[in-house]
Amino acid sequence: MDYLRIDKAKYEGDLKVTLAFNDGVAVLIDFGSWIKRNPHPQYNRYLNEKAFKKYYIDDMGNIAWGKNRDLYFPIDELHEGHIAT
């Protein structure tokens, strides 16, 4: 394994996504709670499920939203199953 990356992301509903990493770890992340705790016009649009579900795995193997990675998190935090505030 060269570096940690997300292999798969599965939407579970209610703005939660299960992330499967290249080392075999899988975690469920509640992104909606983080967005609600950190209100910002750039992030708030992703409280809309239709917009939220447009996430993608970028070329670095991380989950992202938006054309310019409007919403993006440290992969080591995601791997640990939490997002710092």
Side-chain angles (χ1 to χ4, degrees):
M1 180 172 73
D2 294 327
Y3 61 94
L4 189 61
R5 62 177 291 119
I6 297 168
D7 284 337
K8 295 179 190 171
K10 180 182 178 209
Y11 183 65
E12 303 290 354
D14 200 26
L15 307 180
K16 297 176 183 173
V17 178
T18 296
L19 304 174
F21 292 85
N22 61 334
D23 65 351
V25 169
V27 294
L28 177 67
I29 303 288
D30 182 355
F31 291 100
S33 291
W34 186 92
I35 297 168
K36 290 173 187 169
R37 285 192 319 267
N38 298 278
H40 187 281
Q42 184 173 329
Y43 310 142
N44 293 350
R45 73 177 118 180
Y46 298 111
L47 289 171
N48 174 293
E49 186 176 46
K50 186 176 179 181
F52 181 85
K53 288 171 70 176
K54 293 182 180 179
Y55 63 81
Y56 59 95
I57 305 300
D58 70 8
D59 56 346
M60 296 298 294
N62 202 340
I63 190 168
W65 289 261
K67 207 169 153 179
N68 297 312
R69 294 183 179 113
D70 298 336
L71 192 56
Y72 196 76
F73 299 94
I75 199 161
D76 58 325
E77 291 180 10
L78 296 175
H79 187 261
E80 293 172 8
H82 67 87
I83 307 168
T85 313

